[in-house]
Amino acid sequence: MIIYLIFTLMVLCFCMSMIEDYIPPHYYKYIVWGIIVLLVIISGTRPGTNVSDFRVYEDTFYNYDSLKNQLSMEPTFLLLCEFFNKMGGTIRWVIWVYAMMSIPLKIYSLSKMMTPSVFFLAIPIYLGNFFQLHDCEQMRVAAALALGTYCYLLRMEGKKWMWIPFWLAAISMHHTAAALILPILITPNKRMGRYWKLAMIGAILLGVFFWIVKVNPITTIPIPYIEAKMLLYEVAISNGEHPDILVYHPIVLLRLITFFYVLYFYDVIYEHLKCINLVLICEAIGLFCWFGLSTLSVFAVRMSELFEITEIIMFASVIYTVKPMWLAKLYPMLFAMYIFLYGCRVNQFGFL
């Protein structure tokens, strides 16, 4: 059922993008909140029997005081598990809390960063992959990314240093990986020059180089936390839990092509979307992680996903480079359908 609901919502968003000129501007906020309510309901009622993260969270809920969970889970999550456990609840109660906490903040922030034209096309891409991946599976990451996305919004609006408490909350309360978005938050928030563009291209090429020579730069960093994570991932891979990734997957090639296309038309798109700076930087770092960390597949996937959520804006931004606009809107929607159908075919999220 969840697959049909997501597909229907994707189609509805695309239809609204085609008739947006006939939608009164003051209706936009009601549509945004309508989408938020639907996504919270879907996330809160999602099935979990076939989803690995759900089973892990359920085990944690009933064993919140075990040493393993105390070391691997954030205190916030464990406190919620303990509270609802003693109240006689289930892990579903914790899921509802995370859904109501992360989805509204994330969608609200994204809607403020985009124009309505881009928003209606970005949401189908989000639904096709990131919503199911984060809000229907990795809910701790979803909460951290929601705060991270709000940090992006504050940074884009020029509210200097106001993002710091939200960034610290994302790290300390939800997922430590959110610390890695700091370089993005301190980059200049103005029109990019040649050197910034070359730096992003260089980052991607550096990642490709590491992939070719089969060197993982993360393994050379002597940080205890990273070393411990690496050990856990290596054990999981040896147990067959995380198969190797196809580095040059068609979806990745489309991301590369779209990145360079948007970078080429940067000046045109920037006039409509000031957030395109953050979007391109996030995508460049995400692609670097995908290629550069590919010797440890699960680490490459998790790291690239952390940064690439903003690619939903990147794909939708191409509408400002093609005339007529209705024709340009087909590309982001076709990509959304492609990643959605691919996820269904391989049963990527365990919802079938």
Side-chain angles (χ1 to χ4, degrees), residues 240-260:
E241 297 178 20
H242 298 287
D244 288 338
I245 59 174
L246 181 61
V247 177
Y248 44 87
H249 193 280
I251 293 176
V252 180
L253 296 178
L254 285 172
R255 286 170 173 158
L256 275 170
I257 293 169
T258 307
F259 173 83
F260 284 106

Side-chain angles (χ1 to χ4, degrees), residues 192-194 196-202 204 256-269 276-277 280-281 284 314 317-318 321:
M192 287 182 176
R194 180 187 305 173
W196 266 110
K197 296 176 183 178
L198 290 174
M200 289 188 293
I201 295 173
I204 297 174
L256 275 170
I257 293 169
T258 307
F259 173 83
F260 284 106
Y261 179 86
V262 171
L263 191 63
Y264 180 80
F265 287 101
Y266 169 81
D267 291 326
V268 175
I269 297 173
I276 199 64
N277 290 0
L280 289 174
I281 293 172
M314 181 184 73
S317 69
V318 302
T321 67

Side-chain angles (χ1 to χ4, degrees), residues 249 251 339-352:
H249 193 280
I251 293 176
I339 57 174
F340 173 74
L341 293 174
Y342 173 79
C344 292
R345 184 176 67 84
V346 300
N347 196 16
Q348 181 177 355
F349 303 109
F351 296 141
L352 298 183

Side-chain angles (χ1 to χ4, degrees), residues 80-349:
L80 284 172
C81 287
E82 181 179 4
F83 176 75
F84 287 120
N85 191 318
K86 292 180 177 179
M87 291 283 291
T90 65
I91 186 61
R92 184 69 61 181
W93 294 23
V94 180
I95 289 173
W96 273 104
V97 170
Y98 271 81
M100 291 186 289
M101 179 171 52
S102 61
I103 293 176
L105 182 59
K106 190 184 305 176
I107 299 298
Y108 169 80
S109 301
L110 289 170
S111 69
K112 289 294 185 178
M113 293 169 65
M114 298 180 272
T115 62
S117 300
V118 172
F119 177 80
F120 287 133
L121 293 169
I123 289 300
I125 302 173
Y126 168 66
L127 288 170
N129 184 56
F130 291 105
F131 170 69
Q132 298 174 74
L133 177 66
H134 294 141
D135 298 296
C136 290
E137 280 200 43
Q138 303 166 2
M139 59 187 185
R140 292 158 46 237
V141 177
L145 283 176
L147 288 168
T149 306
Y150 188 60
C151 289
Y152 292 157
L153 175 63
L154 294 175
R155 182 71 184 85
M156 191 193 76
E157 292 178 341
K159 297 177 180 178
K160 294 183 178 181
W161 313 119
M162 286 185 63
W163 50 266
I164 291 179
F166 298 97
W167 176 67
L168 293 174
I171 299 170
S172 59
M173 296 175 62
H174 298 299
H175 209 290
T176 52
L180 299 173
I181 69 173
L182 178 60
I184 300 170
L185 295 172
I186 60 177
T187 54
N189 189 27
K190 58 183 180 181
R191 186 186 292 268
M192 287 182 176
R194 180 187 305 173
Y195 294 114
W196 266 110
K197 296 176 183 178
L198 290 174
M200 289 188 293
I201 295 173
I204 297 174
L205 294 178
L206 183 61
V208 173
F209 171 76
F210 285 135
W211 167 51
I212 293 174
V213 300
K214 299 186 183 304
V215 172
N216 191 324
I218 296 295
T219 58
T220 63
I221 303 176
I223 299 177
Y225 175 79
I226 293 180
E227 290 176 342
K229 276 287 186 182
M230 295 285 289
L231 180 60
L232 289 174
Y233 286 142
E234 287 171 357
V235 171
I237 291 172
S238 65
N239 293 333
E241 297 178 20
H242 298 287
D244 288 338
I245 59 174
L246 181 61
V247 177
Y248 44 87
H249 193 280
I251 293 176
V252 180
L253 296 178
L254 285 172
R255 286 170 173 158
L256 275 170
I257 293 169
T258 307
F259 173 83
F260 284 106
Y261 179 86
V262 171
L263 191 63
Y264 180 80
F265 287 101
Y266 169 81
D267 291 326
V268 175
I269 297 173
Y270 183 79
E271 297 301 322
H272 301 277
L273 284 174
K274 304 305 180 186
C275 68
I276 199 64
N277 290 0
L278 286 170
V279 170
L280 289 174
I281 293 172
C282 287
E283 188 66 18
I285 297 176
L287 288 169
F288 166 81
C289 293
W290 179 267
F291 288 102
L293 309 180
S294 58
T295 56
L296 193 59
S297 58
V298 62
F299 209 68
V301 172
R302 295 290 175 89
M303 292 291 288
S304 61
E305 288 166 353
L306 175 66
F307 293 102
E308 289 181 340
I309 187 173
T310 56
E311 75 179 17
I312 67 175
I313 304 176
M314 181 184 73
F315 277 93
S317 69
V318 302
I319 63 174
Y320 296 115
T321 67
V322 178
K323 301 293 183 181
M325 187 176 284
W326 67 265
L327 182 62
K329 291 178 179 180
L330 293 177
Y331 176 65
M333 191 60 196
L334 288 173
F335 178 77
M337 287 298 179
Y338 173 61
I339 57 174
F340 173 74
L341 293 174
Y342 173 79
C344 292
R345 184 176 67 84
V346 300
N347 196 16
Q348 181 177 355
F349 303 109

Side-chain angles (χ1 to χ4, degrees), residues 7-17 38 120 333:
F7 177 79
T8 301
L9 190 53
M10 290 171 68
V11 173
L12 286 174
C13 286
F14 178 67
C15 291
M16 283 189 286
S17 76
L38 285 173
F120 287 133
M333 191 60 196

